[in-house]
Amino acid sequence: MNNERDVGFLVGTSICSQLGLLKDGDQSTFDDLREKELKHGRISMLAVVGYLITAAGARFPGCEDIPDGFAAFSGLYGSKEGQFVALQMGLFFVVAEIINREAYWAGCKSEFPGDYRNGWIDFGWDTFSDEVKFQKRTIELNNGRAAMMGIWGLMLHEQMGVSILPGGYLPGHP
């Protein structure tokens, strides 16, 4: 933990635990926090893409009248179609949370924190060398970190009324 052999280690940095969550150096606590960091990064990557796609005007069929940005919440809950879309999104996250776990019942053991393949979704991962796996995991972790900051920046700028999107477009505002 906290050396150049760790996934996501950045040269010139060290573990920063302002809340003292890692003060005892416990590997299981570190792995738990790493898994949460990966999950938040993956969700943030989806959030950034979704935010930008809806800002570009793309909508699901039947939801063409739903605004983008934070205004989407009132649009979703203001109509039956919107409520159905919100229900579908909620169900998707519930199912994803259930199936994206280490599958003890199927005899599958995670290779690393955040490994949700469960023995059946591989896409060639097992064919990579350890060096390539390490590199890809580091890239995913750092992309997730960037996406967490990216969606935060997009949301804050929308709330401040300042556009950072091309053309000066501000989601949720006519």
Side-chain angles (χ1 to χ4, degrees):
M1 187 168 80
N2 194 21
N3 63 47
E4 56 275 351
R5 292 185 314 264
D6 286 336
V7 171
F9 177 81
L10 300 174
V11 176
T13 64
S14 63
I15 296 230
C16 180
S17 181
Q18 297 296 327
L19 299 176
L21 299 174
L22 296 172
K23 64 182 172 195
D24 62 355
D26 181 32
Q27 186 66 41
S28 65
T29 302
F30 177 80
D31 289 345
D32 181 55
L33 292 172
R34 175 55 51 89
E35 182 175 2
K36 290 174 181 167
E37 181 182 17
L38 279 166
K39 185 184 288 188
H40 281 84
R42 290 169 181 167
I43 291 169
S44 295
M45 287 186 262
L46 290 171
V48 168
V49 170
Y51 192 96
L52 296 176
I53 286 175
T54 56
R59 300 289 188 279
F60 287 113
C63 297
E64 292 85 5
D65 296 333
I66 304 288
D68 52 0
F70 282 107
F73 290 112
S74 61
L76 280 175
Y77 298 113
S79 69
K80 286 287 185 194
E81 293 85 11
Q83 291 173 4
F84 185 64
V85 169
L87 176 66
Q88 289 176 9
M89 290 188 311
L91 288 174
F92 169 78
F93 285 118
V94 167
V95 169
E97 187 67 25
I98 291 170
I99 64 172
N100 287 329
R101 292 279 174 215
E102 190 171 61
Y104 298 110
W105 46 268
C108 298
K109 180 83 173 113
S110 295
E111 187 177 332
F112 52 86
D115 177 16
Y116 298 139
R117 293 175 293 146
N118 290 334
W120 64 275
I121 187 166
D122 191 300
F123 299 117
W125 179 260
D126 291 332
T127 64
F128 296 140
S129 68
D130 288 342
E131 183 178 310
V132 171
K133 287 180 182 180
F134 181 86
Q135 180 184 21
K136 289 186 176 292
R137 289 178 55 211
T138 300
I139 289 169
E140 179 192 19
L141 187 61
N142 287 326
N143 284 345
R145 290 170 177 167
M148 286 186 267
M149 294 299 104
I151 192 64
W152 193 23
L154 288 167
M155 291 168 32
L156 286 174
H157 277 84
E158 180 183 341
Q159 290 299 304
M160 293 186 312
V162 178
S163 175
I164 58 173
L165 297 176
Y169 179 73
L170 190 59
H173 298 82

